[in-house]
């Protein structure tokens, strides 16, 4: 992944290993944070992040994470799509109007 972060097959294999080993998925999100900063528009990274968040069953970290991405690039389509997915999936709409008006 360090050599080619766009290799979908390797990300899929990583997800399967994480599930099989019962790995700490919050630690995986920490790892993903660094990858996302270095490759903010890489589809495979965003897909992997979504899959990990689905396995966790909680989107608690995703609003802060996407907000940090917007500080660097407020037009990042992947981050906006991920945020919308998290808002809808985990019903976190309460403060979203305040966020978009700032």
């Amino acid at each position: 992944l360090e050599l080619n972060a766009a290799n979908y097959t390797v990300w899929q294999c990583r997800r399967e290993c994480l599930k099989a080993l019962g790995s700490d998925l919050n630690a995986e999100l920490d790892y993903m944070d660094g990858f996302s900063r270095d490759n903010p528009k890489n589809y495979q990274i965003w897909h992997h992040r979504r899959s990990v968040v689905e396995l966790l069953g909680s989107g608690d970290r995703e609003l802060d994470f996407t907000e940090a991405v917007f500080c660097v690039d407020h037009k990042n389509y992947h981050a906006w799509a991920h945020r919308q997915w998290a808002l809808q999936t985990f019903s976190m709409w309460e403060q979203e109007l305040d966020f978009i008006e700032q």
Side-chain angles (χ1 to χ4, degrees):
L1 294 174
E2 305 249 342
L3 296 175
N4 181 6
N7 188 325
Y8 182 82
T9 303
V10 175
W11 285 112
Q12 178 63 31
C13 182
R14 183 176 182 86
R15 277 191 298 282
E16 291 173 10
C17 289
L18 290 168
K19 286 187 269 187
L21 296 171
S23 298
D24 179 356
L25 298 178
N26 281 303
E28 180 67 4
L29 288 179
D30 292 340
Y31 177 71
M32 295 302 305
D33 289 350
F35 261 100
S36 299
R37 275 191 291 278
D38 295 338
N39 302 276
K41 296 183 180 180
N42 179 306
Y43 174 79
Q44 290 80 4
I45 291 172
W46 287 101
H47 178 77
H48 181 70
R49 185 174 189 95
R50 180 180 292 194
S51 298
V52 170
V53 172
E54 286 175 337
L55 290 171
L56 272 172
S58 170
D60 292 344
R61 296 174 54 156
E62 301 315 287
L63 299 185
D64 289 339
F65 175 74
T66 54
E67 187 172 352
V69 172
F70 298 145
C71 288
V72 176
D73 179 5
H74 66 276
K75 293 182 180 181
N76 184 321
Y77 169 80
H78 298 289
W80 280 111
H82 185 76
R83 185 178 185 90
Q84 291 299 308
W85 167 81
L87 288 165
Q88 184 172 8
T89 301
F90 300 105
S91 298
M92 300 187 297
W93 296 101
E94 297 80 33
Q95 287 94 28
E96 189 62 8
L97 188 57
D98 293 337
F99 171 75
I100 62 171
E101 288 180 345
Q102 50 175 310

